Each structure stands twice: as structure tokens, then as C-alpha cells.
């Protein structure tokens, strides 16, 4: 049935520290493919984040309220357990370059072993965002550069506030 894909719930998980225009492009495309898309921020990561989980949720909600079928949430523990709790049948991930592929392949295989009911769906990053990463954006802003073309306005505002503090 043509509408089958639209019946499903997908999770787009990540660190989103911070959300970039590349993430936003994937959210917009995912929102067209799935009935509901849950953008889920990982809590308790070992990485030292620039923004707290609450700060990230705040700006992501501001950006994602433009989409009627997108929810922003956070999770900890295993992604597949969170997917099960949320009745999600798909995990959405973006691939920018071949360097992303190896780690994504490993994660997708592990998640499939842990919960075969959840399929990982990959979308190729749009060409204009293929080089954009949260890590690069943090480096540029910390070194005094302009990141306005890489992040949504609410994120830019918070980034500027962080560096001028
Ligand atoms: O934006 P990131 O840092 O590439 O996202 C990585 C993320 C959050 C998708 C991944 O680290 C994750 O799913 N962590 C939850 C723990 C888990 O389920 N681990 C087993 C599968 S790798």
C-alpha cells in the first residue's frame, strides 16, 4: 500500500550539540517520509557537550515546532529500548560521506541484532550540507568565525551567547 511508510513512527537520534542545518534538512525529509518523527537527544553521553540536554531540547523545539508531526525528546540507555518504548519501527540516520558509513554500518548492525523489528533507514545528506558538522561549527565559533550559514537562527543566537559570556 502506497501509504504504508506514512503509518510508521521513526526516531532520529543524535547528540545534536548543536543542531545544524544538515540535521534540519534530514528532519524535514524524515517528516515527509514518516507519520511521526521523534528527534531524540542522547542523555548521559561521555562526550563533554557545549550545550546541556535541556538547552539543546529548548532550541530544537523552537526550530521543530514548524513541523506538525515532529516531536523533540531525550533518551538514555539503549536506543532500541527507547524505540520499543515509543513504538518506533525505524531509526533514521544521515550519511554525509564515506567516513560516516563505517560507524553507521556498525551501529545499524548492532541495533538490528538487539531489536530486529527496528529498521535503520539512511538518507544521504543533501550536497549543500555534506560537510557540515556540529564539531566544526563549535570550532569555528570558538575561534571567532561566522557560522550563520550553517545553523538555524535560534541555534546561532545561543551559540553567540555562549561565546560572548
Ligand atoms: O550524533 P551522534 O553522536 O552520532 O549520535 C550517536 C547515537 C546517539 C545515535 C548513538 O550513540 C546511540 O544510539 N547511543 C545510544 C546507546 C546505544 O544504543 N548504543 C548501542 C548501539 S551503537
Amino acid at each position: 500500500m502506497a501509504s504504508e511508510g506514512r503509518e510508521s513512527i521513526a526516531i532520529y537520534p543524535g547528540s545534536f550539540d548543536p543542531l545544524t542545518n544538515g540535521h534540519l534538512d534530514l528532519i524535514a525529509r524524515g517528516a515527509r517520509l514518516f507519520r511521526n518523527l521523534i528527534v531524540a537527544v542522547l542523555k548521559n553521553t561521555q562526550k563533554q557537550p557545549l550545550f546541556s540536554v535541556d538547552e539543546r531540547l529548548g532550541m530544537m523545539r523552537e526550530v521543530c515546532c514548524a513541523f506538525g508531526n515532529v516531536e523533540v525528546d531525550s533518551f538514555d540507555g539503549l536506543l532500541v529500548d527507547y524505540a520499543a518504548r515509543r513504538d518506533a519501527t525505524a531509526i533514521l540516520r544521515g550519511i554525509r560521506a564515506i567516513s560516516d558509513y563505517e560507524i553507521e554500518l556498525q551501529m545499524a548492525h548492532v541495533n538490528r541484532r538487539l531489536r530486529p523489528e527496528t529498521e535503520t533507514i539512511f538518507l544521504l545528506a543533501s550536497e549543500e550540507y555534506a560537510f557540515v558538522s556540529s564539531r566544526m561549527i563549535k570550532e569555528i565559533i570558538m575561534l571567532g568565525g561566522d557560522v550563520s550559514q550553517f545553523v538555524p537562527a535560534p541555534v546561532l543566537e545561543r551559540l553567540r551567547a555562549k561565546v560572548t559570556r
Side-chain angles (χ1 to χ4, degrees), residues 9-108:
I9 299 174
I11 294 177
Y12 177 28
S15 307
F16 304 108
D17 184 41
L19 182 86
T20 68
N21 284 340
H23 294 133
L24 188 55
D25 173 60
L26 220 78
I27 292 169
R29 291 160 64 199
R32 286 198 294 270
L33 288 172
F34 299 100
R35 190 192 63 188
N36 290 101
L37 182 67
I38 303 166
V39 185
V41 179
L42 176 67
K43 294 193 256 188
N44 297 339
T45 167
Q46 283 155 0
K47 294 180 198 168
Q48 190 60 257
L50 178 63
F51 292 102
S52 71
V53 171
D54 283 343
E55 285 175 317
R56 278 176 267 166
L57 289 174
M59 52 187 142
M60 288 165 69
R61 286 191 175 126
E62 211 175 312
V63 173
C64 292
C65 68
F67 305 96
N69 62 338
V70 175
E71 176 192 334
V72 176
D73 193 15
S74 58
F75 75 103
D76 51 18
L78 285 176
L79 175 59
V80 289
D81 289 343
Y82 175 70
R85 286 200 299 281
R86 299 303 314 264
D87 287 328
T89 51
I91 292 168
L92 179 67
R93 291 286 288 173
I95 295 207
R96 290 165 299 187
I98 197 80
S99 49
D100 283 340
Y101 178 76
E102 233 171 288
I103 180 73
E104 293 300 333
L105 180 78
Q106 195 182 12
M107 283 201 293

